[in-house]
Structure formats: C-alpha cells, structure tokens
Amino acid sequence: MELKNLSSNWKKLQETLQKDNPPNPSKVLKRKSSTTSTEILDQRHQSVKRRKAETHTKSVGFTRKSMETRLQGQINGKGDGKANGVGSGSGIGSGKPSASLALWAEDNDIPAADLAEAYGVSVTNTTFLGANGGDKVNEGLSATAEVGRYIAIDCEMVGVGPPPSETSVLARVSVVNYHGQQVYDSFVQPKEYVTDWRTHVSGIAPRHMATARSLEEVQKDISDLLDGRILIGHAIRHDLNALLLGHPKRDIRDTSRHAAFRKLSAGRTPALKKLSKELLGIEIQGGEHSSVEDARACMLLFRRNKDAFEVEHAQKFPMRSKQGVAEGGGTDEKVKRKKKRKGKK
C-alpha cells in the first residue's frame, strides 16, 4: 500500500511541476535555430577554406614546375610593341594562345590557358617565358640561350622599289632554338634606299635603323649558326636569298613544302598563319609581324610533326648504306686486279 501511495504521489507531483513550469517553445526553437545556423556557418567556412587550399595548391604547382625546368623565368614586357614581340597582356584566358606561350606550355606539359592564368598574363602574350628572362630585341647572339641541333629562322623585309611592293631587302632576322628560346635577333641596315618600310606588316620603322647591324655582320653571325645544324622555316629560300646565304637541302625542313601541310591548301603553298591557326590553334600575324614569333610557330609545327617530316625527308634523301659502299669498294679492287693481269700478259 505504501509503495502504491508513493507512486501515485510521485505522478501527481510531476503533473503539478509541468503545470507550474510549462515548456517554452520559443526557447526550444531558438536553440534549434542557433544550432542550425552554426552548422551552416561551419559548412561555409570549411568550403571557403577548401577552395583557398585548392587555388593555392594549383598556383604553387605551376610555379614549382616552372622553377624546376630550364624555361623558368618571369614575364618581362620589354620592347616597343608588337613588332618587338610583346603582347598586350590583357584578356587573361581568352582567345587563342601565342606561339610563345604554346611552346612553353608544351615543354612543361601544362595547358596554355592554365599557364596564362597562373602567371596573370594574356594567352596572346608573345613575351617568351624563358630562362633568359624574355626576348631582348636586337640583342644579336644570345648570351644565355643554348643553340642545339635544330634552329628555326624568319626574316622581315622592307621595300626598296620601284615598285616597292615587288623589290624587298632584309631588315630583321630572328632565330630560335628547339624550345623556342631566342638565339639571335637583329635589325639589318638595308644597302638600298627604302621606299616602303611596310611598318603595318613588318613592324620595322626608320628609328630601328639607329641600332641596326650591317648586312655583312649579320651574314657572319647567321652563317656560324647554320653550320652543321638542321634549319626549320617557312619558304626558307626567301630568307636565305635575303641573307645571300646557302644551306644544304639535306639539312632543311620547310613547313611550306611539307606534303601533309600542302593538302590543306589544295596542293598550293599554305600560309604560315593558316597552318598555325588550323593545326596549332594559335594566332600569329594579327597586326605587325614578329619574326621571333613566326620562327616559333615554324618550330612548333615541326615539333608536332617531326616524325612525318623525317620520313618524308628520308624518302627525298636516302642514306647510302655502308654495305653498298663496301661492296662497291670490292668491285673496284677486282677491276684493278684484272687490269694488272692484262698488263702482265
């Protein structure tokens, strides 16, 4: 009885307490709302931290990789405009990449757009991100770039007429190595009176002649570079004729004569600008030409199709087999022996 009374009294006490102190729904909701807001804020905070970490990792990754390669450096906008191979630096990540950026991106196995974003430059920037700290206009022979076996050349001409549109002479020559680094760049003093500087295309102006080198000096420099090397270019005969130089056909790779490229122009000579846009996805010659940039486009075309170039080249210039030479030598010896025997008789 006593236990039953105790249990009954306990229940009555609980009911009385609940009546005197009813639960406050606002406090419950407030507590619940506070907890929910905290969770949301925490999630947002974690999301922001994650995005920052990813961005930092991506940026550090690009910088670290560039530091570990031979083509490390800073963007140095040197020169006096497009004619000197310097881009505008605007429109980051938009448009087709320049030949300079495309070469550096390919060597480092990084998409050109990502590389441009990491360094805060335009994909159309034509300043080379090389170990020599960028292109140096009219530098002559580079003191830092390694030449290597393969070099690409391009020249800019001016008109000496009449008519000036038909008669051209050399006014600038540029050479780059296999990685697109500027090996040589020089303005050249024309020996004839210039009637048309063609500045809107050539990028050459009278002011550049103040520091230009003589044709003889440039000839000597280029001749030394050509010696024993494979020369890449577009319609190279025009460049060599302007320089009054020659080079063995066996050591030339001409992008204007490559059979696969000529198919794009129905067998005719394809324009370098067309090849660069359709095969490389890069833009060149948008305004004033840069001989450095055009040489890089030629080198990139060759690099992307190097095996096809060498197969075609081997068909045009088959190597003499050592076995054939040895057999020929044996035949000559037999002929000499027969002549000696006839003489004795």
PDB file of all heavy atoms in Angstrom, residues 34 36 100 108 126 130 142 184 255 288 305 320 334:
ATOM      1  N   SER A  34      19.637  28.168 -33.484  1.00  0.00           N
ATOM      2  CA  SER A  34      21.026  28.546 -33.243  1.00  0.00           C
ATOM      3  C   SER A  34      21.963  27.428 -33.678  1.00  0.00           C
ATOM      4  O   SER A  34      22.980  27.672 -34.313  1.00  0.00           O
ATOM      5  CB  SER A  34      21.211  28.881 -31.763  1.00  0.00           C
ATOM      6  OG  SER A  34      22.561  29.146 -31.490  1.00  0.00           O
ATOM      7  N   THR A  36      21.405  25.125 -35.931  1.00  0.00           N
ATOM      8  CA  THR A  36      21.362  25.006 -37.377  1.00  0.00           C
ATOM      9  C   THR A  36      22.224  26.087 -38.042  1.00  0.00           C
ATOM     10  O   THR A  36      22.977  25.821 -38.974  1.00  0.00           O
ATOM     11  CB  THR A  36      19.921  25.139 -37.897  1.00  0.00           C
ATOM     12  OG1 THR A  36      19.120  24.185 -37.221  1.00  0.00           O
ATOM     13  CG2 THR A  36      19.862  24.897 -39.395  1.00  0.00           C
ATOM     14  N   SER A 100      54.586  31.681 -78.562  1.00  0.00           N
ATOM     15  CA  SER A 100      55.497  31.702 -77.411  1.00  0.00           C
ATOM     16  C   SER A 100      54.920  30.922 -76.239  1.00  0.00           C
ATOM     17  O   SER A 100      55.584  30.054 -75.656  1.00  0.00           O
ATOM     18  CB  SER A 100      55.757  33.154 -76.989  1.00  0.00           C
ATOM     19  OG  SER A 100      56.311  33.897 -78.039  1.00  0.00           O
ATOM     20  N   ASN A 108      56.366  22.206 -70.743  1.00  0.00           N
ATOM     21  CA  ASN A 108      56.081  21.968 -69.332  1.00  0.00           C
ATOM     22  C   ASN A 108      54.841  21.116 -69.097  1.00  0.00           C
ATOM     23  O   ASN A 108      54.445  20.897 -67.957  1.00  0.00           O
ATOM     24  CB  ASN A 108      55.918  23.309 -68.608  1.00  0.00           C
ATOM     25  CG  ASN A 108      57.241  24.045 -68.489  1.00  0.00           C
ATOM     26  OD1 ASN A 108      58.031  23.788 -67.586  1.00  0.00           O
ATOM     27  ND2 ASN A 108      57.499  24.950 -69.414  1.00  0.00           N
ATOM     28  N   THR A 126      53.050  37.516 -76.265  1.00  0.00           N
ATOM     29  CA  THR A 126      54.135  36.981 -77.082  1.00  0.00           C
ATOM     30  C   THR A 126      55.505  37.135 -76.441  1.00  0.00           C
ATOM     31  O   THR A 126      56.522  36.896 -77.075  1.00  0.00           O
ATOM     32  CB  THR A 126      54.161  37.663 -78.473  1.00  0.00           C
ATOM     33  OG1 THR A 126      54.292  39.073 -78.293  1.00  0.00           O
ATOM     34  CG2 THR A 126      52.890  37.351 -79.245  1.00  0.00           C
ATOM     35  N   GLY A 130      61.114  32.544 -70.917  1.00  0.00           N
ATOM     36  CA  GLY A 130      62.310  31.716 -70.953  1.00  0.00           C
ATOM     37  C   GLY A 130      63.258  31.955 -69.811  1.00  0.00           C
ATOM     38  O   GLY A 130      63.124  32.882 -69.024  1.00  0.00           O
ATOM     39  N   SER A 142      72.384  35.576 -78.560  1.00  0.00           N
ATOM     40  CA  SER A 142      72.031  35.488 -77.139  1.00  0.00           C
ATOM     41  C   SER A 142      73.199  34.966 -76.322  1.00  0.00           C
ATOM     42  O   SER A 142      73.905  34.025 -76.728  1.00  0.00           O
ATOM     43  CB  SER A 142      70.819  34.562 -76.968  1.00  0.00           C
ATOM     44  OG  SER A 142      70.557  34.329 -75.593  1.00  0.00           O
ATOM     45  N   TYR A 184      68.962  34.406 -81.668  1.00  0.00           N
ATOM     46  CA  TYR A 184      69.546  35.554 -82.368  1.00  0.00           C
ATOM     47  C   TYR A 184      68.421  36.476 -82.827  1.00  0.00           C
ATOM     48  O   TYR A 184      67.364  36.024 -83.271  1.00  0.00           O
ATOM     49  CB  TYR A 184      70.354  35.087 -83.587  1.00  0.00           C
ATOM     50  CG  TYR A 184      71.128  36.188 -84.280  1.00  0.00           C
ATOM     51  CD1 TYR A 184      72.406  36.528 -83.864  1.00  0.00           C
ATOM     52  CD2 TYR A 184      70.574  36.879 -85.356  1.00  0.00           C
ATOM     53  CE1 TYR A 184      73.125  37.544 -84.499  1.00  0.00           C
ATOM     54  CE2 TYR A 184      71.287  37.896 -85.989  1.00  0.00           C
ATOM     55  CZ  TYR A 184      72.558  38.220 -85.552  1.00  0.00           C
ATOM     56  OH  TYR A 184      73.266  39.224 -86.167  1.00  0.00           O
ATOM     57  N   THR A 255      58.363  24.120 -93.723  1.00  0.00           N
ATOM     58  CA  THR A 255      56.943  23.885 -93.421  1.00  0.00           C
ATOM     59  C   THR A 255      56.031  24.245 -94.595  1.00  0.00           C
ATOM     60  O   THR A 255      54.883  23.809 -94.636  1.00  0.00           O
ATOM     61  CB  THR A 255      56.510  24.701 -92.188  1.00  0.00           C
ATOM     62  OG1 THR A 255      56.804  26.088 -92.397  1.00  0.00           O
ATOM     63  CG2 THR A 255      57.236  24.223 -90.938  1.00  0.00           C
ATOM     64  N   GLU A 288      51.157  43.891 -86.824  1.00  0.00           N
ATOM     65  CA  GLU A 288      52.576  43.920 -87.182  1.00  0.00           C
ATOM     66  C   GLU A 288      53.191  42.557 -86.900  1.00  0.00           C
ATOM     67  O   GLU A 288      52.983  41.970 -85.843  1.00  0.00           O
ATOM     68  CB  GLU A 288      53.294  45.002 -86.369  1.00  0.00           C
ATOM     69  CG  GLU A 288      52.811  46.413 -86.666  1.00  0.00           C
ATOM     70  CD  GLU A 288      53.501  47.444 -85.798  1.00  0.00           C
ATOM     71  OE1 GLU A 288      54.410  47.053 -85.039  1.00  0.00           O
ATOM     72  OE2 GLU A 288      53.133  48.625 -85.868  1.00  0.00           O
ATOM     73  N   ASN A 305      55.044  17.552 -85.751  1.00  0.00           N
ATOM     74  CA  ASN A 305      55.006  16.625 -86.889  1.00  0.00           C
ATOM     75  C   ASN A 305      56.400  16.126 -87.256  1.00  0.00           C
ATOM     76  O   ASN A 305      56.677  15.815 -88.411  1.00  0.00           O
ATOM     77  CB  ASN A 305      54.364  17.309 -88.100  1.00  0.00           C
ATOM     78  CG  ASN A 305      52.962  17.808 -87.828  1.00  0.00           C
ATOM     79  OD1 ASN A 305      51.983  17.095 -88.002  1.00  0.00           O
ATOM     80  ND2 ASN A 305      52.855  19.064 -87.393  1.00  0.00           N
ATOM     81  N   ARG A 320      73.082   6.463 -97.979  1.00  0.00           N
ATOM     82  CA  ARG A 320      73.864   5.414 -98.634  1.00  0.00           C
ATOM     83  C   ARG A 320      74.238   4.358 -97.607  1.00  0.00           C
ATOM     84  O   ARG A 320      74.782   4.684 -96.554  1.00  0.00           O
ATOM     85  CB  ARG A 320      75.135   5.996 -99.248  1.00  0.00           C
ATOM     86  CG  ARG A 320      74.879   6.992-100.367  1.00  0.00           C
ATOM     87  CD  ARG A 320      76.200   7.534-100.867  1.00  0.00           C
ATOM     88  NE  ARG A 320      76.007   8.518-101.925  1.00  0.00           N
ATOM     89  CZ  ARG A 320      76.992   9.189-102.502  1.00  0.00           C
ATOM     90  NH1 ARG A 320      78.247   8.991-102.086  1.00  0.00           N
ATOM     91  NH2 ARG A 320      76.742  10.057-103.459  1.00  0.00           N
ATOM     92  N   LYS A 334      88.538  -5.502-107.742  1.00  0.00           N
ATOM     93  CA  LYS A 334      88.548  -6.571-108.739  1.00  0.00           C
ATOM     94  C   LYS A 334      88.917  -6.032-110.118  1.00  0.00           C
ATOM     95  O   LYS A 334      89.650  -6.648-110.878  1.00  0.00           O
ATOM     96  CB  LYS A 334      87.171  -7.240-108.796  1.00  0.00           C
ATOM     97  CG  LYS A 334      86.866  -8.085-107.575  1.00  0.00           C
ATOM     98  CD  LYS A 334      85.480  -8.700-107.681  1.00  0.00           C
ATOM     99  CE  LYS A 334      85.129  -9.515-106.437  1.00  0.00           C
ATOM    100  NZ  LYS A 334      83.760 -10.102-106.534  1.00  0.00           N
TER     101      LYS A 334
END
